[in-house]
Amino acid sequence: METTVSDPPWEQALVWLGFPPLGAALGWLLDLLVGWVASLPGGPFHGAFELADRLPEPHAAIGSIILGALAGLGVAHQAAKERLTVTVSGDRVVLARRGAVREVAAGVVSAVFRDGRRLVLLGPDTEELAGERCELNPERLREAFVRHGLPWRDGGDPYAGEYRHWAEATPDLPASVNALLKTRARALAKGEREDAAELRAELATMGIVVRDEKKRQSWRRAGPTAS
């Protein structure tokens, strides 16, 4: 027996049914905006707006509406790809997103908690087994894990007090770890979430657990002696 937590069907339907019409409406407003800007005596890119305004109507308006609807459909598709599904049983935890599936044996999980917008699973040596950005209902998640006997922590990260803010060339860390954290700091600054996630996983293989507070990194060592 297993429990699956995902976005409710009504919310998924709202995304697919709501974004295309919203995009179409924005496309129509954009077509109106082009005509208004073109009517002004001047301004940045005024020539481009005048050129766009010369397109015959109603074809220009219809084209803007169709392109807006397609853009809305694209946003809905991207939202569906980013959606996280969590399946919990007495044997395993499965995290699925964008066609990628991560499976963790339930028996090795020592703690499960929400850390900001992330769902985190820790292992027996306090290492991070899995961590995913998660917008799912916290109470539904808690119920799923508790129902199957996994150690949910209501208070968040039980090792939060062990993290230290990272600064470049931290003397307590090997040069290789500092180099990865420096690269990851640049990825965070640029908003490159996938690269930051890959670097987090690489650091985990080196026994370093990373926590983000906005765009600032903190770190701790994993190990059986962590309190």
Side-chain angles (χ1 to χ4, degrees), residues 11-12 14-24 26 66-83 98:
E11 188 173 311
Q12 298 179 35
L14 185 62
V15 170
W16 283 107
L17 296 176
F19 276 103
L22 178 61
L26 291 175
I66 292 174
L67 288 176
L70 290 175
L73 191 63
V75 171
H77 177 67
Q78 186 63 30
K81 286 175 59 180
E82 292 293 326
R83 186 178 297 123
R98 287 176 293 181

Side-chain angles (χ1 to χ4, degrees), residues 42-58:
F45 307 107
H46 190 261
F49 281 99
E50 286 186 321
L51 182 62
D53 191 48
R54 293 194 190 106
L55 295 174
E57 294 291 356

Side-chain angles (χ1 to χ4, degrees), residues 104-118:
V104 178
V108 301
V109 177
S110 65
V112 187
F113 54 90
R114 288 287 299 267
D115 186 19
R117 293 186 176 181
R118 298 181 74 234

Side-chain angles (χ1 to χ4, degrees), residues 41-212:
F45 307 107
H46 190 261
F49 281 99
E50 286 186 321
L51 182 62
D53 191 48
R54 293 194 190 106
L55 295 174
E57 294 291 356
H59 301 87
I62 293 172
S64 296
I65 292 171
I66 292 174
L67 288 176
L70 290 175
L73 191 63
V75 171
H77 177 67
Q78 186 63 30
K81 286 175 59 180
E82 292 293 326
R83 186 178 297 123
L84 178 68
T85 299
V86 179
T87 303
V88 187
S89 69
D91 299 322
R92 61 181 184 167
V93 178
V94 180
L95 308 175
R97 170 184 277 133
R98 287 176 293 181
V101 177
R102 174 176 290 186
E103 183 174 320
V104 178
V108 301
V109 177
S110 65
V112 187
F113 54 90
R114 288 287 299 267
D115 186 19
R117 293 186 176 181
R118 298 181 74 234
L119 174 67
V120 180
L121 282 70
L122 298 184
D125 289 340
T126 77
E127 76 276 23
E128 186 173 300
L129 298 174
E132 291 285 345
R133 183 169 45 84
C134 178
E135 306 292 345
L136 296 172
N137 183 284
E139 189 56 35
R140 291 180 61 208
L141 283 170
R142 181 186 185 281
E143 290 175 359
F145 283 100
V146 170
R147 180 181 301 149
H148 295 283
L150 276 83
W152 178 270
R153 307 295 185 188
D154 285 317
D157 191 342
Y159 305 102
E162 296 186 8
Y163 286 89
R164 288 182 279 173
H165 289 303
W166 176 78
E168 191 169 340
T170 297
D172 294 337
L173 292 172
S176 57
V177 171
N178 272 316
L180 286 176
L181 286 167
K182 183 177 180 180
T183 302
R184 190 171 185 274
R186 288 198 295 265
L188 288 174
K190 296 177 181 178
E192 297 171 345
R193 292 188 305 187
E194 291 188 7
D195 289 345
E198 290 176 2
L199 290 163
R200 181 197 293 274
E202 188 170 350
L203 286 160
T205 66
M206 305 169 77
I208 301 297
V209 184
V210 181
R211 187 183 192 189
D212 298 330

